[in-house]
Amino acid sequence: MGEVCLARVDERLIHGQVMTNLSKKSGANSIFIVDDMVANDNFMKNIFMSAGSRTGLKVKIFSVADAVAYWNETQFENFKCILLTKTIDVMYEVAKAGVKINELNLGGIAKKPNTVAILSAVCIKAEDAAHLEEMQKDMGIQDIYFQTIPSSKRVELADALKKF
C-alpha cells in the first residue's frame, strides 16, 4: 500500500529546491500533482514532468477524479508521494473523497482580495480556514501547518485560525 508522505498546497506546484528538500525530509519516492487544468494540458504536463524528473522522483499528474480513483483502486500502489495541489479547495476535495493524508503543509498561496496573510507568502480566505479546520477535525489530518520552506517559520493551524 502506498502513502501520502506529505500533502502540500502551493500555487507553483513543483518549485525547485523546495521540492528537493521536502522529498528528502519526507522520504517520498514520487510527486503526485492533482490539478484538472494541468492534467488536461499536454504542454503544462510536459513542463511539470520535466521539472519533477530533475528531483529524481517519479512524477504523476492527475485530475481530481483520477487521483481519487487511483487511490480507491490501488491505494497509490507502493508509492510514497508528496501530493501537490494549487488550492486548498482541491486538497479538501481529495481528502473528503477518502485519500488518507496525515500531514498538510500550506506553502505558497498568493495574496488575493478577501484573504488574510498567515505568512507573507501564504494567504487564505475565511472559507479556506473553515475547510482546513474541517479537514483536521473530521478528516483526520492532525498535522496542518503553514511553512514556505522547511527551514522557515512554521505556523500551526490553531494559531492561523485565530486570525479569523
Side-chain angles (χ1 to χ4, degrees):
M1 183 169 117
E3 72 174 289
V4 177
C5 296
L6 173 68
R8 178 173 167 96
V9 176
D10 190 331
E11 292 174 339
R12 303 163 296 186
L13 295 173
I14 295 175
H15 186 254
Q17 286 299 104
V18 172
M19 197 52 50
T20 301
N21 290 336
L22 288 174
S23 65
K24 288 178 184 172
K25 181 182 175 214
S26 69
N29 62 12
S30 55
I31 299 169
F32 289 4
I33 294 173
V34 181
D35 186 88
D36 289 345
M37 188 181 76
V38 174
N40 292 306
D41 182 331
N42 285 332
F43 177 74
M44 291 305 294
K45 245 172 137 168
N46 287 334
I47 288 173
F48 284 112
M49 295 293 280
S50 175
S53 68
R54 288 187 216 123
T55 66
L57 304 175
K58 174 78 174 167
V59 178
K60 291 183 172 269
I61 299 172
F62 300 98
S63 66
V64 173
D66 288 344
V68 170
Y70 186 52
W71 173 259
N72 289 336
E73 293 165 13
T74 70
Q75 303 288 288
F76 291 169
E77 299 179 57
N78 290 318
F79 289 105
K80 293 181 176 201
C81 74
I82 294 175
L83 183 70
L84 295 174
T85 67
K86 288 182 184 177
T87 67
I88 293 169
D89 288 341
V90 170
M91 192 65 72
Y92 176 81
E93 280 184 65
V94 169
K96 193 165 180 87
V99 175
K100 186 171 174 14
I101 298 168
N102 296 315
E103 180 180 353
L104 174 56
N105 166 241
L106 298 118
I109 306 170
K111 181 140 184 73
K112 296 175 194 74
N114 302 316
T115 60
V116 173
I118 307 302
L119 297 169
S120 62
V122 186
C123 304
I124 65 171
K125 308 175 290 202
E127 178 186 328
D128 294 330
H131 278 156
L132 292 168
E133 189 171 27
E134 182 180 343
M135 291 164 79
Q136 191 169 63
K137 287 182 177 176
D138 300 336
M139 297 178 207
I141 306 174
Q142 293 307 307
D143 193 11
I144 300 177
Y145 60 94
F146 300 77
Q147 186 176 39
T148 54
I149 59 174
S151 61
S152 69
K153 177 184 175 185
R154 175 177 163 140
V155 175
E156 301 300 326
L157 178 60
D159 294 324
L161 293 175
K162 292 174 185 172
K163 295 187 175 203
F164 291 93

